[in-house]
Amino acid sequence: MPADPSPGVVGETPARSAVSQQPDTATRAPRASVAGAVEVRRSTRRRKSVSAYREGGRTIVLIPARMSEAEERRWVGVMLDKLAAQESKRVLGDTALTERAERLSTQFFDGRARPASVRWVTNQNTRWGSCTPAEGSIRLSHRLQGMPEYVVDYVLLHELAHLLVPGHGPDFWRLLEAYPRTERARGYLEGVVAADQLPQPPTAPEE
């Protein structure tokens, strides 16, 4: 898979990680603004900084009170990705990576894609992953390590799909439609490509 560095946040005000930071006292009533256990707290004391931390089963995102609804939604997504990236830095070993690929195949491809091996490699700097169907082998670039789990899962599924369908024709992309975060993952990786000026990933054909 041709290589698709941070999500589309280049040039934006840096957001601080606030895992250990307590919420400001001058806040409006907390409210959930996106699906899932995410709570946004607006503060009149915040000017530009945005931070987020985990609290039990919830994610708390702290933003300036003057932010628009659209900015709020965008920053919630950015901060969720940042937290996910921090938490996924516990790198899976090759055995665990193979087991993960097998679970994904079972979940999305009815177990039809059966890799013989899945491993990290350090010699793929312009590709996120590659697959040799004749050997059943899948290799993922070490550059994926530390990216959100849903991005790694997408690349794994991309390569698993090649065990079933060669090339990037309509049948291939129909397989990936089963993964609900395909477009989000591709957007993340395309942001990496744009920042690194790497080749763009293959695109799905026009309907």
Side-chain angles (χ1 to χ4, degrees), residues 28 31-34 40 42 63 65-76:
R28 297 180 181 178
R31 60 191 176 82
S33 65
V34 295
V40 175
R42 289 174 173 260
I63 66 173
R66 61 181 177 78
M67 271 194 180
S68 67
E69 293 292 323
E71 289 175 319
E72 174 185 317
R73 288 192 297 271
R74 177 168 59 85
W75 273 106
V76 166

Side-chain angles (χ1 to χ4, degrees), residues 71-149:
E71 289 175 319
E72 174 185 317
R73 288 192 297 271
R74 177 168 59 85
W75 273 106
V76 166
V78 168
M79 298 311 292
L80 288 175
D81 279 345
K82 284 179 176 289
L83 285 173
Q86 289 176 4
E87 293 165 356
S88 68
K89 287 184 178 178
R90 299 182 296 277
V91 178
L92 294 172
D94 289 348
T95 299
L97 199 61
T98 300
E99 292 172 352
R100 188 182 192 124
E102 290 171 349
R103 288 197 299 272
L104 288 168
S105 175
T106 298
Q107 182 177 358
F108 295 103
F109 299 154
D110 298 322
R112 292 179 295 127
R114 300 178 181 178
S117 66
V118 186
R119 61 191 176 90
W120 298 106
V121 294
T122 58
N123 61 351
Q124 291 188 159
N125 293 319
T126 60
R127 299 175 69 84
W128 294 125
S130 60
C131 172
T132 305
E135 300 175 357
S137 62
I138 290 173
R139 296 160 298 281
L140 296 191
S141 170
H142 72 289
R143 296 177 67 242
L144 288 164
Q145 294 172 352
M147 290 190 187
E149 289 184 358

Side-chain angles (χ1 to χ4, degrees), residues 181-192:
R181 307 185 83 174
T182 287
E183 290 305 315
R184 185 178 180 189
R186 284 181 55 78
Y188 187 105
L189 294 172
E190 286 168 357
V192 175

Side-chain angles (χ1 to χ4, degrees), residues 48-71:
K48 295 181 179 180
S49 65
V50 177
S51 60
Y53 62 94
R54 305 292 194 196
E55 183 178 83
R58 298 179 303 164
T59 301
I60 310 299
V61 181
L62 308 175
I63 66 173
R66 61 181 177 78
M67 271 194 180
S68 67
E69 293 292 323
E71 289 175 319

